[in-house]
Amino acid sequence: MRQTIGTISPSMRLNPLSGSGTVLVERYRLEERLSGPDPLRGSLWRAVDVMAGDLPVAIRQLETSESQERLQGVWPHMQMLSHPQSPRCGELVELDGALWLVRDWQDGISYDLLLHQRRFSADEVLLLLRQLLPVLAVWHGRGLVHGDLNARHLLRRNSDGLPVLLEGGGVQRQGTTPLDAPWRDLHDLGLTALVLLGGPASEDGCWPEGLELEAGFRQVLERLLSEAPERRFAEVAEVLQVLESVGLPASEPEIVVSARSSRVLAREQGAEGRLWPVVVVLGLSALVGSAIGWLLLSRSSPVDIASDLAGHKPAVSLAPAALDHRQQLFSRLRALQVNRGWFLQLVDASQPSAESLEAAPLPRAWTELAEEWLARIEQLPPTIRVRLGRLSDGDWEQTRQALVQQGVHLHVVEHLVSAGSHVLLPRSMQGWKPAEPFLQLWIAAAMQSLNDVEIVRLKACPLEPTNTSLRIPAGGARLLLVEVPARDTLALDISGTPLMQMMVFGASGQVEGERGPLRVTRIAPEAGSPLQVLVFNEGVSSDAFTLVCLADPRDQ
């Protein structure tokens, strides 16, 4: 989790009714308050990321200590959520006693707004449950309880019509909530389904009068709403299993809105669940279209972005083509599930000096750097890539210690990491442990290279050569531990491609043979046993090398 600590100048401090135009940490410009303020859930803002070409984001502002403590503890777990129907959670920013939680913006219309226009059919609600329950399963699988599941926090996405589960500010961790808290999410989902069908249930828990459903579907809803522990569903998977026996429509019905109401809904589509005032200024009502229209409108004219890169803070104008390029870049970033806050910090920190920037336009230089870093990050496996920005030394400590316990010296382990980081880090950063944000890639290299390492153990025999032939993946390394009889000299002959190199370490981690081309060498008995040999492949394809070793007692 990236946490930024800063301040807002006195002239830009927020008041309860406004704050539009305020820029947080010179990156996020507040556009409009969508809900709140609320003592527990704070305020939800529509904002833009000025460093990402005014990319829309949603930001929750928390000002009370109770709300801050709860969501600050749960936010790292929310950042690990990975489902296309759950917005990715970004960085946490601390400013002047308030917390600001950044997440992806979703273009669409909330189900409570749709409910004001029409009633949903049983087939539509049944399909909604089938589409939404897997999302809730991911939340519960991460130990998270939504805590405020209702039609306001369900969004029908414009691009594909799928429902999106929005956090409502009431998220909690399982174990810090009542034991039946996950069931409460299922209960709330059942109640939401009933509301969409024209309910809700009466206060005494009876079924709403006049609501007729297919028997199997009604039974599912009754179990979702039941307060009796013996009737409740134990988990989301159980609900999905029961729903399999209930008939589903062949395709999702289209939502039809009257001509009169479409003008209102078009103005509301970007609000992520907020109800707009009844009285709307006539000039604003002319802004029709979906939230996608808002995005396209922003592309049709230059966008000013503020930048503090390399000590400069100019207002830079992006042409439509450049803005579209940057939008594509961040679409790739989202597709790779990389933490956007950390990635932007990575690009910022790798900016060249101010003198070199003067020769090229700042937006172009920034975008080219971002492209280079993204190309490196794409080579990581998804399981590591999704954790960038939250990695720590503890993520690779266990693997390092396991190698040490197998007889590999710590210095050799570090050289293995260095060999694995050449794809992720520039040459100037290889061979040493860099600071953040580059440290994240170094740790990623450690996790990948050490998890993939194979230790080959050989025994050098007197007067009888030991031979082996091994393959090395492109950009990889192989580790060999060679046991040598006491007081014997090791004769070592390694041959392979010109793009391979070798390095030899003694039993105590001391360097006995500097890194260089494959060669024939002799290692004195004082180096100890086992000797540790690293062979590196700097080529672009996998290839093989041959090792021949011999323990020579004649040098005694």
Side-chain angles (χ1 to χ4, degrees):
M1 178 186 70
R2 176 183 176 219
Q3 176 167 317
T4 305
I5 300 177
T7 59
I8 302 177
S9 63
S11 62
M12 300 181 67
R13 293 186 188 278
L14 303 178
N15 62 61
L17 300 179
S18 64
S20 299
T22 300
V23 179
L24 309 177
V25 293
E26 299 185 354
R27 187 176 297 275
Y28 303 107
R29 185 175 68 243
L30 302 181
E31 297 289 311
E32 189 168 11
R33 190 194 298 267
L34 302 178
S35 66
D38 180 88
L40 293 180
R41 292 171 174 79
S43 300
L44 183 65
W45 291 84
R46 176 171 59 86
V48 295
D49 186 344
V50 298
M51 287 305 301
D54 277 12
L55 190 71
V57 294
I59 301 181
R60 186 170 297 280
Q61 174 193 9
L62 302 173
E63 297 183 284
T64 66
S65 57
E66 181 180 357
S67 62
Q68 290 179 8
E69 181 178 358
R70 176 171 51 83
L71 273 184
Q72 192 171 24
V74 80
W75 198 253
H77 303 280
M78 295 186 65
Q79 289 178 314
M80 299 178 68
L81 288 174
S82 180
H83 194 282
Q85 291 165 246
S86 182
R88 283 182 53 81
C89 297
E91 63 181 316
L92 181 152
V93 179
E94 183 177 352
L95 291 171
D96 287 356
L99 289 181
W100 303 78
L101 310 175
V102 183
R103 65 168 170 82
D104 283 352
W105 178 264
Q106 296 290 314
D107 289 326
I109 181 169
S110 66
Y111 276 82
D112 69 326
L113 292 179
L114 290 171
L115 189 59
H116 281 282
Q117 310 303 321
R118 61 188 294 275
R119 179 179 295 185
F120 288 77
S121 68
D123 283 348
E124 288 177 285
V125 175
L126 185 56
L127 180 60
L128 174 66
L129 293 178
R130 289 291 301 271
Q131 293 173 332
L132 197 60
L133 281 166
V135 189
L136 194 59
V138 172
W139 280 61
H140 290 177
R142 286 291 184 184
L144 294 172
V145 177
H146 187 279
D148 197 15
L149 206 163
N150 55 55
R152 292 193 312 276
H153 299 135
L154 295 180
L155 198 76
R156 188 179 190 272
R157 190 159 55 198
N158 289 337
S159 60
D160 52 19
L162 290 175
V164 176
L165 180 60
L166 305 174
E167 60 85 18
V171 185
Q172 300 181 62
R173 283 281 292 168
Q174 294 182 28
T176 62
T177 59
L179 294 179
D180 63 351
W183 164 80
R184 178 59 60 181
D185 276 351
L186 291 174
H187 178 275
D188 290 346
L189 182 59
L191 186 60
T192 300
L194 209 60
V195 169
L196 295 177
L197 290 166
S202 58
E203 294 183 0
D204 58 4
C206 297
W207 191 259
E209 295 184 8
L211 181 58
E212 297 183 0
L213 295 175
E214 186 269 332
F217 189 20
R218 172 168 176 163
Q219 184 181 30
V220 171
L221 292 183
E222 287 178 338
R223 289 188 62 185
L224 286 172
L225 295 169
S226 176
E227 300 281 347
E230 64 274 10
R231 293 203 65 197
R232 300 175 184 172
F233 289 104
E235 57 184 4
V236 172
E238 186 180 353
V239 187
L240 284 169
Q241 183 178 5
V242 175
L243 282 178
E244 289 180 358
S245 62
V246 181
L248 290 174
S251 61
E252 183 177 1
E254 180 180 359
I255 294 179
V256 180
V257 184
S258 66
R260 182 188 65 83
S261 61
S262 65
R263 292 191 300 270
V264 180
L265 290 181
R267 183 64 178 89
E268 296 171 340
Q269 279 188 350
E272 291 204 4
R274 182 173 73 88
L275 282 172
W276 290 81
V278 177
V279 180
V280 181
V281 179
L282 182 61
L284 294 179
S285 65
L287 300 177
V288 297
S290 66
I292 296 177
W294 287 96
L295 183 57
L296 292 177
L297 182 62
S298 69
R299 291 183 180 181
S300 64
S301 59
V303 180
D304 291 335
I305 62 172
S307 174
D308 62 347
L309 306 181
H312 294 274
K313 297 185 180 181
V316 182
S317 179
L318 282 178
L323 177 58
D324 186 69
H325 186 194
R326 185 165 294 193
Q327 294 286 3
Q328 292 177 15
L329 187 149
F330 279 94
S331 294
R332 288 172 57 200
L333 191 67
R334 286 193 296 271
L336 292 172
Q337 298 184 320
V338 176
N339 183 299
R340 185 173 62 195
W342 168 80
F343 180 78
L344 294 174
Q345 186 183 21
L346 176 73
V347 180
D348 290 355
S350 58
Q351 286 282 348
S353 64
E355 291 76 12
S356 61
L357 278 176
E358 292 175 357
L362 185 58
R364 177 181 176 183
W366 191 96
T367 304
E368 289 177 351
L369 275 173
E371 289 280 6
E372 293 175 8
W373 282 115
L374 199 56
R376 295 175 185 270
I377 293 171
E378 283 176 331
Q379 302 182 57
L380 284 171
T383 53
I384 298 179
R385 194 169 59 218
V386 74
R387 297 172 64 188
L388 289 172
R390 301 184 296 272
L391 296 176
S392 65
D393 284 335
D395 291 305
W396 72 290
E397 176 65 22
Q398 184 176 359
T399 307
R400 180 177 67 174
Q401 290 301 323
L403 289 173
V404 172
Q405 291 174 5
Q406 295 181 63
V408 183
H409 196 274
L410 183 58
H411 291 166
V412 181
V413 174
E414 292 174 351
H415 276 82
L416 275 172
V417 176
S418 178
S421 68
H422 83 281
V423 175
L424 299 175
L425 293 172
R427 183 174 296 274
S428 61
M429 296 184 185
Q430 296 173 24
W432 53 282
K433 190 174 181 180
E436 293 286 8
F438 310 102
L439 178 61
Q440 292 293 307
L441 293 175
W442 193 90
I443 295 176
M447 295 171 63
Q448 186 176 20
S449 60
L450 297 187
N451 284 335
D452 296 340
V453 68
E454 296 180 16
I455 302 177
V456 178
R457 297 181 182 274
L458 300 174
K459 186 174 183 178
C461 301
L463 305 179
E464 184 178 346
T466 299
N467 297 271
T468 187
S469 182
L470 300 169
R471 296 194 69 85
I472 312 179
R478 294 300 296 262
L479 171 62
L480 301 96
L481 300 187
V482 183
E483 294 185 13
V484 185
R487 298 186 298 277
D488 282 5
T489 295
L490 176 68
L492 188 64
D493 181 2
I494 304 179
S495 58
T497 72
L499 294 176
M500 292 184 181
Q501 293 191 333
M502 61 180 283
M503 193 171 185
V504 183
F505 298 83
S508 300
Q510 74 277 15
V511 176
E512 293 292 340
E514 295 289 350
R515 179 165 177 166
L518 304 186
R519 57 195 182 273
V520 176
T521 186
R522 297 177 69 84
I523 308 298
E526 291 77 17
S529 179
L531 293 173
Q532 299 163 69
V533 182
L534 281 178
V535 182
F536 309 90
N537 179 12
E538 297 184 345
V540 295
S541 62
S542 174
D543 219 323
F545 72 95
T546 300
L547 180 147
V548 180
C549 61
L550 173 71
D552 189 353
R554 291 176 298 177
D555 287 355
Q556 294 183 23

PDB file of all heavy atoms in Angstrom, residues 157-171:
ATOM      1  N   ARG A 157     -22.846  -1.191 -15.226  1.00  0.00           N
ATOM      2  CA  ARG A 157     -21.762  -0.604 -15.987  1.00  0.00           C
ATOM      3  C   ARG A 157     -22.180  -0.359 -17.434  1.00  0.00           C
ATOM      4  O   ARG A 157     -22.810  -1.220 -18.067  1.00  0.00           O
ATOM      5  CB  ARG A 157     -20.527  -1.497 -15.925  1.00  0.00           C
ATOM      6  CG  ARG A 157     -19.266  -0.882 -16.484  1.00  0.00           C
ATOM      7  CD  ARG A 157     -18.031  -1.574 -15.931  1.00  0.00           C
ATOM      8  NE  ARG A 157     -18.044  -3.009 -16.139  1.00  0.00           N
ATOM      9  CZ  ARG A 157     -17.283  -3.865 -15.465  1.00  0.00           C
ATOM     10  NH1 ARG A 157     -16.471  -3.414 -14.522  1.00  0.00           N
ATOM     11  NH2 ARG A 157     -17.338  -5.159 -15.704  1.00  0.00           N
ATOM     12  N   ASN A 158     -21.824   0.801 -17.952  1.00  0.00           N
ATOM     13  CA  ASN A 158     -22.212   1.171 -19.311  1.00  0.00           C
ATOM     14  C   ASN A 158     -21.590   0.266 -20.364  1.00  0.00           C
ATOM     15  O   ASN A 158     -22.211  -0.092 -21.354  1.00  0.00           O
ATOM     16  CB  ASN A 158     -21.810   2.623 -19.605  1.00  0.00           C
ATOM     17  CG  ASN A 158     -22.659   3.614 -18.851  1.00  0.00           C
ATOM     18  OD1 ASN A 158     -23.770   3.309 -18.445  1.00  0.00           O
ATOM     19  ND2 ASN A 158     -22.131   4.808 -18.659  1.00  0.00           N
ATOM     20  N   SER A 159     -20.326  -0.091 -20.180  1.00  0.00           N
ATOM     21  CA  SER A 159     -19.580  -0.769 -21.245  1.00  0.00           C
ATOM     22  C   SER A 159     -20.081  -2.168 -21.538  1.00  0.00           C
ATOM     23  O   SER A 159     -20.071  -2.611 -22.690  1.00  0.00           O
ATOM     24  CB  SER A 159     -18.093  -0.821 -20.883  1.00  0.00           C
ATOM     25  OG  SER A 159     -17.903  -1.530 -19.670  1.00  0.00           O
ATOM     26  N   ASP A 160     -20.523  -2.912 -20.508  1.00  0.00           N
ATOM     27  CA  ASP A 160     -20.927  -4.301 -20.725  1.00  0.00           C
ATOM     28  C   ASP A 160     -22.236  -4.682 -20.042  1.00  0.00           C
ATOM     29  O   ASP A 160     -22.693  -5.822 -20.172  1.00  0.00           O
ATOM     30  CB  ASP A 160     -19.828  -5.262 -20.266  1.00  0.00           C
ATOM     31  CG  ASP A 160     -19.375  -4.983 -18.834  1.00  0.00           C
ATOM     32  OD1 ASP A 160     -20.113  -4.320 -18.081  1.00  0.00           O
ATOM     33  OD2 ASP A 160     -18.271  -5.426 -18.465  1.00  0.00           O
ATOM     34  N   GLY A 161     -22.843  -3.757 -19.291  1.00  0.00           N
ATOM     35  CA  GLY A 161     -24.105  -4.046 -18.624  1.00  0.00           C
ATOM     36  C   GLY A 161     -23.984  -4.893 -17.381  1.00  0.00           C
ATOM     37  O   GLY A 161     -24.998  -5.247 -16.768  1.00  0.00           O
ATOM     38  N   LEU A 162     -22.766  -5.235 -16.976  1.00  0.00           N
ATOM     39  CA  LEU A 162     -22.587  -6.075 -15.788  1.00  0.00           C
ATOM     40  C   LEU A 162     -22.736  -5.252 -14.516  1.00  0.00           C
ATOM     41  O   LEU A 162     -22.397  -4.064 -14.484  1.00  0.00           O
ATOM     42  CB  LEU A 162     -21.215  -6.738 -15.816  1.00  0.00           C
ATOM     43  CG  LEU A 162     -21.002  -7.821 -16.874  1.00  0.00           C
ATOM     44  CD1 LEU A 162     -19.560  -8.292 -16.865  1.00  0.00           C
ATOM     45  CD2 LEU A 162     -21.941  -8.992 -16.642  1.00  0.00           C
ATOM     46  N   PRO A 163     -23.196  -5.886 -13.431  1.00  0.00           N
ATOM     47  CA  PRO A 163     -23.272  -5.176 -12.153  1.00  0.00           C
ATOM     48  C   PRO A 163     -21.893  -5.064 -11.509  1.00  0.00           C
ATOM     49  O   PRO A 163     -21.084  -5.994 -11.580  1.00  0.00           O
ATOM     50  CB  PRO A 163     -24.202  -6.063 -11.314  1.00  0.00           C
ATOM     51  CG  PRO A 163     -24.013  -7.433 -11.860  1.00  0.00           C
ATOM     52  CD  PRO A 163     -23.754  -7.250 -13.333  1.00  0.00           C
ATOM     53  N   VAL A 164     -21.633  -3.923 -10.907  1.00  0.00           N
ATOM     54  CA  VAL A 164     -20.365  -3.660 -10.227  1.00  0.00           C
ATOM     55  C   VAL A 164     -20.666  -3.389  -8.761  1.00  0.00           C
ATOM     56  O   VAL A 164     -21.590  -2.627  -8.432  1.00  0.00           O
ATOM     57  CB  VAL A 164     -19.639  -2.453 -10.848  1.00  0.00           C
ATOM     58  CG1 VAL A 164     -18.368  -2.131 -10.078  1.00  0.00           C
ATOM     59  CG2 VAL A 164     -19.324  -2.720 -12.310  1.00  0.00           C
ATOM     60  N   LEU A 165     -19.913  -4.032  -7.865  1.00  0.00           N
ATOM     61  CA  LEU A 165     -20.098  -3.836  -6.424  1.00  0.00           C
ATOM     62  C   LEU A 165     -19.165  -2.731  -5.958  1.00  0.00           C
ATOM     63  O   LEU A 165     -17.944  -2.869  -6.003  1.00  0.00           O
ATOM     64  CB  LEU A 165     -19.804  -5.137  -5.671  1.00  0.00           C
ATOM     65  CG  LEU A 165     -19.963  -5.092  -4.152  1.00  0.00           C
ATOM     66  CD1 LEU A 165     -21.383  -4.715  -3.755  1.00  0.00           C
ATOM     67  CD2 LEU A 165     -19.570  -6.442  -3.538  1.00  0.00           C
ATOM     68  N   LEU A 166     -19.739  -1.620  -5.499  1.00  0.00           N
ATOM     69  CA  LEU A 166     -18.966  -0.481  -5.016  1.00  0.00           C
ATOM     70  C   LEU A 166     -18.838  -0.539  -3.505  1.00  0.00           C
ATOM     71  O   LEU A 166     -19.792  -0.913  -2.801  1.00  0.00           O
ATOM     72  CB  LEU A 166     -19.647   0.837  -5.408  1.00  0.00           C
ATOM     73  CG  LEU A 166     -19.962   1.045  -6.889  1.00  0.00           C
ATOM     74  CD1 LEU A 166     -20.755   2.328  -7.072  1.00  0.00           C
ATOM     75  CD2 LEU A 166     -18.676   1.094  -7.706  1.00  0.00           C
ATOM     76  N   GLU A 167     -17.676  -0.157  -2.990  1.00  0.00           N
ATOM     77  CA  GLU A 167     -17.548  -0.057  -1.534  1.00  0.00           C
ATOM     78  C   GLU A 167     -18.383   1.133  -1.066  1.00  0.00           C
ATOM     79  O   GLU A 167     -18.437   2.173  -1.723  1.00  0.00           O
ATOM     80  CB  GLU A 167     -16.081   0.087  -1.120  1.00  0.00           C
ATOM     81  CG  GLU A 167     -15.363   1.312  -1.673  1.00  0.00           C
ATOM     82  CD  GLU A 167     -15.560   2.546  -0.840  1.00  0.00           C
ATOM     83  OE1 GLU A 167     -15.957   2.415   0.342  1.00  0.00           O
ATOM     84  OE2 GLU A 167     -15.356   3.648  -1.360  1.00  0.00           O
ATOM     85  N   GLY A 168     -19.034   0.953   0.083  1.00  0.00           N
ATOM     86  CA  GLY A 168     -19.909   2.001   0.580  1.00  0.00           C
ATOM     87  C   GLY A 168     -19.411   2.688   1.823  1.00  0.00           C
ATOM     88  O   GLY A 168     -20.154   3.449   2.458  1.00  0.00           O
ATOM     89  N   GLY A 169     -18.160   2.425   2.193  1.00  0.00           N
ATOM     90  CA  GLY A 169     -17.609   3.043   3.391  1.00  0.00           C
ATOM     91  C   GLY A 169     -17.857   2.244   4.650  1.00  0.00           C
ATOM     92  O   GLY A 169     -17.398   2.615   5.727  1.00  0.00           O
ATOM     93  N   GLY A 170     -18.562   1.105   4.531  1.00  0.00           N
ATOM     94  CA  GLY A 170     -18.849   0.290   5.712  1.00  0.00           C
ATOM     95  C   GLY A 170     -18.081  -1.006   5.753  1.00  0.00           C
ATOM     96  O   GLY A 170     -18.439  -1.911   6.503  1.00  0.00           O
ATOM     97  N   VAL A 171     -17.028  -1.116   4.950  1.00  0.00           N
ATOM     98  CA  VAL A 171     -16.271  -2.370   4.855  1.00  0.00           C
ATOM     99  C   VAL A 171     -15.563  -2.673   6.173  1.00  0.00           C
ATOM    100  O   VAL A 171     -15.010  -1.784   6.818  1.00  0.00           O
ATOM    101  CB  VAL A 171     -15.246  -2.298   3.711  1.00  0.00           C
ATOM    102  CG1 VAL A 171     -14.538  -3.635   3.529  1.00  0.00           C
ATOM    103  CG2 VAL A 171     -15.926  -1.877   2.420  1.00  0.00           C
TER     104      VAL A 171
END
